[in-house]
Amino acid sequence: LSGKKILVAITGSIAAVKAPILVSRLIKAGADVKCVITQSASMLVSPLSLSTLSRNKCYQDKDQWDDSQTKPLHIALAEWAELIIVAPMSATSLCKFTNGNADGLLASILLASKSQIVIAAAMNTSMWENQSVKKNWNYVKTIDQVISLEPSEGLLACDRVGDGKMINLDIIELASESAFIFNAENKFLS
């Protein structure tokens, strides 16, 4: 991951508290990291901590239409990122992405991006098992650009045991490395 431009996106799941650790690990691996955080996630994780760990500004919805920018921020970030990691991916953000809803900075970035996207879902078991969420997840698994990481089973923040925990950070890192290998092989073969 050394020298790679990675955008880490954090959405409104309690698993967002693991995002600073992921950012720190990517920085230690030599990646150039920028972060974007949804409004819900900012209630769980401080944008300041993400900025400090990434050594770059943490972008929020309020930054999307800053008049000091020469290019729309969602386009600039989508073009900058060689890889986007959405960890965690909430049910709300999953729904926006799969339905082409560009409401908010992250949603707009995901729709504008041509890069590989690693998505690590995390939510309450009942939400994960909901028919609408399953439909959206099954759709996202068909998108060539996406590496989809299902949640694992365990004790959730709501004291329930079941599927919904964000997958281990080691697996997210491995999926990220795999995305670069896949891209390199496809460029070599074409």
Side-chain angles (χ1 to χ4, degrees), residues 57 61-73:
K57 178 178 175 58
D61 283 342
K62 67 181 181 176
D63 300 314
Q64 187 167 9
W65 300 111
D66 183 341
D67 63 2
S68 68
Q69 306 212 221
T70 58
K71 183 182 249 187
L73 182 60

Side-chain angles (χ1 to χ4, degrees), residues 121-141:
M123 62 195 76
N124 168 273
T125 303
S126 296
M127 294 171 76
W128 176 247
E129 293 172 350
N130 181 281
Q131 199 169 14
S132 295
V133 171
K134 284 298 184 191
K135 180 186 90 169
N136 290 336
W137 187 254
N138 288 333
Y139 175 70
V140 90
K141 292 191 310 187

Side-chain angles (χ1 to χ4, degrees), residues 74-111:
H74 61 286
I75 301 299
L77 289 172
E79 291 174 351
W80 174 86
E82 295 176 277
L83 174 71
I84 298 173
I85 303 171
V86 185
M89 173 66 97
S90 67
T92 300
S93 293
L94 175 65
C95 182
K96 285 181 180 182
F97 179 53
T98 58
N99 288 285
N101 181 337
D103 181 30
L105 179 58
L106 173 58
S108 297
I109 291 168
L110 292 176
L111 295 178

Side-chain angles (χ1 to χ4, degrees), residues 23 48 51 62 67 74 114 119 123 129 134 152 171 179:
V23 169
L48 177 59
S51 292
K62 67 181 181 176
D67 63 2
H74 61 286
K114 299 288 187 194
I119 293 176
M123 62 195 76
E129 293 172 350
K134 284 298 184 191
S152 59
I171 296 173

